[in-house]
Structure formats: structure tokens, C-alpha cells
Amino acid sequence: MSQFRPNIARQSLRDKVVLVTGGANGIGASLVEYCCENGAYVCFGDTGIAAGEQLSKRLCESDSSSSHPRAIFLRTDVTDYQSLLYLFDAALKAYGCIDHVVAAAGIMEIGNCFDPALDLKTVREAPTTKVLDVNLVGSIYVSRIASVYLRQSRPANTDRSITLFSSLAGFKESPGLFIYQTSKHGILGLMRALRLYLSNSPVHNIRVNVVCPWMTATGMADGVCEGWVKAGLPLNTPLDVAKVTAGLLVDSSLNGKAMYVEGGRAWEIEGNLDRLEPQWLGEEPSRSLAKGQAVLGQGMDWAK
């Protein structure tokens, strides 16, 4: 498996319009700042109002020469479809187009859905769906809206992309993170469902990729990072992950890829899944599967 080395020349992001959800803190904030520093215009949303407004103000003050604000922040709840539409509308109104969309909003596990203390009485109360709503449903909402807004005021051959955020938990077990892990598996499923559908469509022509960070020094990892470092394990900084994400935005050859990010380095995992399929699935079922996938790819529309 070859290492992915982002090649981000300043001109590759210059004057691009990037929309980011979850952009006020952590990886999202680092991505917003990194894109702006490399000449992009960024419209970003988050529920963290104070942090978002402060970041937007600082980025605009650092570049007052532009005719457009370098960064725009709106309070955005990714579980609220209308709230997301306001964010996309703001970007389109301010900049006239959107080139790339990044769904970086996410939260960690809430409580223990399979608490051993549950009994016949307490199990009758339904668990919260907030983690699924933010991590997975929010990403579906963002992707759906992006599939339309990325097409506005842009020629069909213009490079456009959607980048989603999964995790190591999207493809490896994470005991105790029951709903979080389910949501992150779902992100990979969403990318796989969209990568050919959107990129091969003459109407859409949109690339879709996924970032899968391992342990990253953000607020979501509070209480874990110190022991992690003491154990000699690799730790990402938010900027590490932001640079990999930006690399996906600027490389028009990348579609349907999943980048595993560990200690500031990244590896693409989808290619090896395909290449090694005859080994882990078996040669005979792999051949049969390939034939079936070819049939499914011949213009079948399951929505009808």
C-alpha cells in the first residue's frame, strides 16, 4: 500500500471556494485556516458560534485586500436541513459558486447504548440518535445539497468534489463506541454508493472521497492523548489531517478513495481492498462478484 503524499501548491487552492461543516474547532478549523492561507475562500458552519466567529474574523482581518471576505461563518446544525441550506446559500451568494465541499462535523459516543445495567424497565427508553444524526445523517444531507450546489455557475468539466469524514472506526472495531462506529462505517458506505454515481454522471461530474483519521489531538480525544503518546503510538495533529484533506480537494484524479491518516502520514485503503479481493474473498466468488457488479453498473436505477 503506497503512502499518499499531498501535493498542495499554493495556486491549486487559490480562488477556490470551499464549504466546510464542523469548521469552528479541531480538524475542521485547521482545514478552514489552511485553505484560506493558501488562497481559497471558505464558507464554514458549526454550532460552536464563539469559536467560529473568532476564526472568521481573524482570517478576514489577515487578508483585507480581497474584494470578497476570505472566510464566512454561519451557525450551522448539520442535523437541520434548512440550516445547511442557509450555509450553502450564503456561499453561493457571496462567491457565486462552490468548488469543494467538506463534511467535517462529527461528535463522539453519547452514553452506553448497551449498558450492562439496563434492565426490563430502563431498556424501554429509546437511546439517543444524536450521534447517528450528526455523523451520518448530517453527511447525507451535506452530500445531497452539495450535489446540486456544486453544479451552479460552473462548466460541466470543472473539477468539483465532496469529501466526507469517517475514521479508523470506519473499518476497524472500536469496542464501546457502538453508535459512533456504526456512523463511521456508514460514511464509507455513502462514499462507495456515490463515487461512481456522481463522478460518471454527465449531470453531476463530482468526485467523492473520504478521510479516515486515527487518533488526533482534538477535543474529542481529551483524556486519551497523554496515555497514547506515553505508549509510543502515532498521533495526528489537526493540521496533519487538514493537509491530507486539502490534498484530496486539489487532486482531480482522486475519486472514491479513503485515506487512512496515522501520525501525519496517509495511506489509501480502497485500492488494496479491490486488488486483494481474490485473496480475502476467494478467486471464484471474486469473479462472480465482478460479473454481478458489472450488471449492476449498467444503468440500473434502484430508486425507480
Side-chain angles (χ1 to χ4, degrees):
M1 184 164 62
S2 60
Q3 185 177 341
F4 172 62
R5 293 178 171 84
N7 183 18
I8 309 163
R10 181 171 175 81
Q11 63 269 22
S12 59
L13 277 170
R14 181 175 295 152
D15 296 333
K16 299 296 183 183
V17 178
V18 182
L19 184 145
V20 181
T21 62
N25 296 284
I27 294 169
S30 288
L31 178 64
V32 169
E33 188 165 8
Y34 186 75
C35 287
C36 288
E37 289 174 350
N38 282 275
Y41 297 99
V42 182
C43 184
F44 67 105
D46 203 302
T47 56
I49 299 174
E53 289 179 344
Q54 183 179 11
L55 178 58
S56 176
K57 180 180 179 181
R58 177 165 59 83
L59 291 171
C60 288
E61 288 177 346
S62 66
D63 181 15
S64 58
S65 61
S66 175
S67 58
H68 300 291
R70 183 58 61 187
I72 296 172
F73 170 75
L74 268 72
R75 182 198 176 279
T76 306
D77 179 354
V78 296
T79 69
D80 181 340
Y81 198 78
Q82 191 62 51
S83 179
L84 281 170
L85 285 170
Y86 288 145
L87 182 66
F88 277 82
D89 283 338
L92 204 58
K93 181 178 180 180
Y95 305 118
C97 67
I98 303 171
D99 295 290
H100 304 288
V101 172
V102 182
I107 59 175
M108 283 297 291
E109 195 82 0
I110 298 174
N112 184 346
C113 191
F114 296 89
D115 192 333
L118 284 170
D119 55 30
L120 290 175
K121 181 180 179 180
T122 55
V123 78
R124 294 180 180 278
E125 182 180 349
T128 178
T129 62
K130 186 173 182 179
V131 176
L132 276 178
D133 292 340
V134 173
N135 294 357
L136 182 54
V137 177
S139 296
I140 294 171
Y141 284 173
V142 169
S143 300
R144 184 176 194 259
I145 298 171
S147 72
V148 176
Y149 277 69
L150 285 168
R151 292 186 270 132
Q152 307 306 309
S153 305
R154 278 291 189 245
N157 61 348
T158 302
D159 181 49
R160 295 159 291 189
S161 74
I162 299 170
T163 302
L164 306 173
F165 263 76
S166 181
S167 162
L168 172 82
F171 61 93
K172 291 292 288 186
E173 67 275 7
S174 298
L177 301 181
F178 311 109
I179 312 304
Y180 177 82
Q181 177 155 23
T182 299
S183 70
K184 294 305 183 179
H185 269 71
I187 294 297
L188 283 171
L190 177 61
M191 179 273 287
R192 289 165 181 162
L194 291 176
R195 60 184 172 190
L196 295 182
Y197 183 83
L198 291 184
S199 66
N200 291 347
S201 165
V203 174
H204 295 102
N205 190 27
I206 296 169
R207 298 184 291 113
V208 186
N209 295 293
V210 168
V211 183
C212 300
W214 200 17
M215 187 62 66
T216 305
T218 68
M220 292 176 69
D222 283 348
V224 180
C225 286
E226 184 177 351
W228 195 264
V229 173
K230 284 183 179 179
L233 290 164
L235 182 70
N236 297 312
T237 67
L239 182 57
D240 289 333
V241 183
K243 288 181 178 179
V244 172
T245 306
L248 288 170
L249 303 188
V250 303
D251 191 336
S252 61
S253 71
L254 297 177
N255 177 59
K257 306 299 183 183
M259 296 297 174
Y260 164 60
V261 190
E262 172 199 285
R265 300 180 298 168
W267 291 267
E268 204 286 312
I269 64 176
E270 292 291 298
N272 267 357
L273 284 175
D274 294 336
R275 182 175 65 83
L276 299 174
E277 183 185 283
Q279 295 179 37
W280 59 260
L281 182 61
E283 293 186 3
E284 182 179 347
S286 182
R287 286 194 296 268
S288 177
L289 179 59
K291 292 180 180 179
Q293 289 298 99
V295 172
L296 292 176
Q298 291 174 357
M300 288 189 176
D301 187 348
W302 294 101
K304 290 182 178 179

